[in-house]
């Protein structure tokens, strides 16, 4: 999969996408990511990428021309399956959407800043708008990092243990069951016997029960309750 990201602060994306599982995905050539600085496409002496909003009001709006110039240049190089704008008024991001996006080949992510991007860029180019939650970030970069990470880690071959991503919280609309590692007793708290029994059937059953119970207690909305 290839992901292009448009940003006015590309440095914000360096670290989250260059470590751990994301770096492994890139090293294995399962994922390539290119972050494109919008600033050189800015207008005038100061490479301006934003301007006051029509109608007045606080906050700047990202201008059409620089964004269009960069998007057009990128579109000459590849066809995108989705052009995604990260915005708090987008569709709420879920594991289901991450799964669907992970099946695609080329994505273009647009990070907004200030009051967001001119509505006409959304109309002209954007095919999907994503919000990572009901709060406002200072820009789309952290949201883009969340989206790329959630897609990258489920690409086939990225996580060594193939079943690991399948047993994640949300993968089947359930929260994950509790997990334990050594020591078997810590500060008087013991790991449940069943997990040390070696009985894989019983362990599987215990995990399913725990997942269901945890989901009922914490996120009944996932069960449609
Ligand atoms: N940009 C600012 N806030 C955001 C959010 N919650 N989700 C996606 N992009 C954003």
């Amino acid at each position: 999969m290839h992901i292009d990201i448009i940003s006015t602060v590309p440095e914000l994306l360096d670290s989250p996408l260059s470590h751990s599982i994301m770096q492994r995905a890139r090293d294995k050539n399962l994922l390539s990511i290119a972050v494109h600085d919008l600033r050189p496409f800015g207008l005038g002496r100061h490479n301006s990428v934003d301007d006051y909003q029509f109608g007045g009001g606080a906050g700047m709006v990202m201008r059409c021309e620089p964004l269009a110039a960069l998007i057009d240049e990128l579109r000459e190089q590849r066809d995108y399956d989705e052009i995604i704008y990260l915005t708090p008024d987008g569709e709420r991001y879920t594991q289901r959407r991450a799964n669907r996006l992970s099946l695609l080949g080329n994505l273009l992510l647009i990070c907004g800043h200030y009051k967001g991007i001119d509505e006409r860029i959304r109309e002209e180019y954007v095919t999907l708008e994503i919000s990572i939650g009901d709060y406002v970030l200072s820009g789309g970069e952290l949201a883009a990092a969340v989206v790329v990470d959630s897609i990258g880690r489920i690409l086939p071959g990225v996580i060594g243990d193939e079943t690991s991503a399948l047993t994640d919280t949300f993968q089947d609309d359930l929260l994950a069951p509790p997990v334990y590692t050594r020591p078997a007793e810590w500060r008087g708290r013991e790991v449940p016997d069943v997990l040390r029994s070696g009985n894989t059937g019983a362990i599987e059953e215990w995990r399913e029960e725990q997942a269901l119970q945890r989901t009922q207690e914490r996120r009944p909305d996932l069960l449609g309750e």
Side-chain angles (χ1 to χ4, degrees):
M1 161 172 288
H2 179 79
I3 303 180
D4 285 308
I5 307 176
I6 295 177
S7 166
T8 49
V9 199
E11 301 79 13
L12 278 176
L13 287 155
D14 287 346
S15 180
L17 303 180
S18 314
H19 295 282
S20 180
I21 291 174
M22 286 309 100
Q23 191 55 45
R24 196 187 314 163
R26 298 173 82 170
D27 289 344
K28 288 183 174 177
N29 287 327
L30 298 169
L31 176 63
S32 60
I33 303 168
V35 183
H36 305 273
D37 189 358
L38 184 64
R39 185 60 65 175
F41 293 81
L43 302 178
R45 261 196 318 138
H46 299 291
N47 289 115
S48 154
V49 293
D50 61 345
D51 207 341
Y52 297 102
Q53 49 177 318
F54 276 115
M60 308 291 273
V61 174
M62 286 172 64
R63 308 170 69 141
C64 290
E65 302 95 316
L67 277 167
L70 178 48
I71 296 170
D72 287 343
E73 193 175 291
L74 292 171
R75 285 213 305 180
E76 274 169 28
Q77 291 159 44
R78 31 175 75 78
D79 285 330
Y80 292 103
D81 297 301
E82 297 281 8
I83 297 183
I84 301 171
Y85 175 46
L86 286 313
T87 173
D89 59 6
E91 162 195 302
R92 181 98 61 93
Y93 195 54
T94 61
Q95 186 63 48
R96 191 161 295 138
R97 176 59 82 177
N99 294 347
R100 278 162 59 190
L101 290 176
S102 76
L103 302 174
L104 302 177
N106 295 315
L107 301 179
L108 173 58
L109 272 54
I110 303 172
C111 305
H113 261 265
Y114 324 108
K115 273 281 168 202
I117 65 176
D118 190 298
E119 187 68 19
R120 292 166 291 183
I121 289 291
R122 298 166 79 158
E123 292 165 3
E124 181 83 6
Y125 294 105
V126 172
T127 59
L128 177 63
E129 303 191 329
I130 289 179
S131 164
I132 63 160
D134 290 342
Y135 40 79
V136 181
L137 302 166
S138 54
E141 283 78 6
L142 295 181
V146 166
V147 169
V148 173
D149 184 291
S150 64
I151 295 170
R153 65 185 291 282
I154 55 174
L155 294 176
V158 170
I159 296 186
D161 172 10
E162 284 295 338
T163 60
S164 172
L166 294 176
T167 57
D168 287 339
T169 280
F170 296 127
Q171 203 52 265
D172 46 12
D173 281 338
L174 288 180
L175 304 185
V179 292
Y180 301 87
T181 185
R182 292 188 294 178
E185 189 197 324
W186 178 76
R187 296 192 180 172
R189 297 169 192 271
E190 288 195 10
V191 173
D193 284 339
V194 60
L195 295 180
R196 297 154 65 196
S197 67
N199 181 340
T200 48
I203 292 171
E204 191 55 31
E205 201 174 309
W206 181 87
R207 286 183 170 150
E208 278 171 21
E209 276 166 25
Q210 291 287 319
L212 193 58
Q213 187 181 326
R214 193 160 267 206
T215 310
Q216 261 155 0
E217 282 167 12
R218 301 182 179 191
R219 292 293 306 278
D221 56 300
L222 292 176
L223 300 168
E225 287 170 12

